Amino acid sequence: MRDQRLERLSAVLRPVIESLECELWGIELAVPSKRPVLRLFIDAEQGITLEDCERVSRQVSAMLEVEDPIPGEYVLEVSSPGLDRQLFTVDQCARYVGQRVKLRAAELVDGRKNFSGELVAVENGELVIQMDGDEFVVPFAVLDRARVLPGN
């Protein structure tokens, strides 16, 4: 679910964001037809405000100019993960045991790629999801995307 480039970028950005009393929730790098878009999702115990996003954006922009981890021009977006937050790590998934989630696997798991139901456990890098009365075990390593369903 993660690529090495984003892992390195996360290691560089995390201390900057944490120094601003926020948590780096996740990173996405989208490469549309024009300029790439670097999306940073930040969170905090008290929630994220527009001012938090602006503050993190200024600090991260300055750091990225010096480090230059992405060649060429790109757009930087900073936002909260939102109610239907994407889950980027196994530890984040574990925080949402007992809640409804939507998973999309990059390869077939038990003959399917899409799962939507209650996350009942996270053990040894595997997510156990209950849907339609059945339990499915989905390895985190094969996930393309995991998202919390709002309204839990």
Side-chain angles (χ1 to χ4, degrees):
M1 205 165 125
R2 305 287 298 168
D3 82 24
Q4 296 289 44
R5 188 173 40 167
L6 295 182
E7 292 293 340
R8 285 191 300 275
L9 194 53
S10 176
V12 170
L13 296 177
R14 182 167 273 108
V16 173
I17 293 169
E18 288 175 354
S19 75
L20 299 169
E21 298 180 7
C22 294
E23 173 188 3
L24 177 59
W25 185 259
I27 300 175
E28 285 183 338
L29 182 60
V31 185
S33 59
K34 296 184 182 183
R35 289 188 288 179
V37 178
L38 177 62
R39 290 188 185 98
L40 305 181
F41 299 96
I42 60 172
D43 204 6
E45 194 172 311
Q46 70 280 4
I48 293 296
T49 65
L50 180 59
E51 290 78 22
D52 293 326
C53 293
E54 290 170 345
R55 204 165 34 95
V56 168
S57 180
R58 280 191 301 274
Q59 290 296 317
V60 165
S61 291
M63 194 276 310
L64 290 174
E65 282 185 31
V66 173
E67 295 288 328
D68 199 25
I70 301 171
E73 292 185 26
Y74 58 92
V75 175
L76 174 64
E77 294 179 359
V78 179
S79 71
S80 79
L83 293 176
D84 63 340
R85 60 187 53 212
Q86 184 173 340
L87 303 171
F88 291 90
T89 68
V90 173
D91 290 339
Q92 288 173 349
C93 292
R95 293 184 195 181
Y96 291 91
V97 167
Q99 300 206 25
R100 292 186 40 79
V101 297
K102 184 174 183 178
L103 310 176
R104 185 175 68 215
E107 57 190 59
L108 290 176
V109 176
D110 289 333
R112 60 188 317 150
K113 288 187 175 186
N114 294 303
F115 301 85
S116 182
E118 182 184 346
L119 183 61
V120 294
V122 177
E123 301 168 351
N124 302 316
E126 296 180 324
L127 284 65
V128 181
I129 186 169
Q130 185 173 29
M131 59 185 244
D132 303 327
D134 293 319
E135 283 191 357
F136 296 89
V137 177
V138 182
F140 184 81
V142 304
L143 286 181
D144 183 41
R145 186 169 292 250
R147 187 172 294 280
V148 175
L149 293 174
N152 284 312

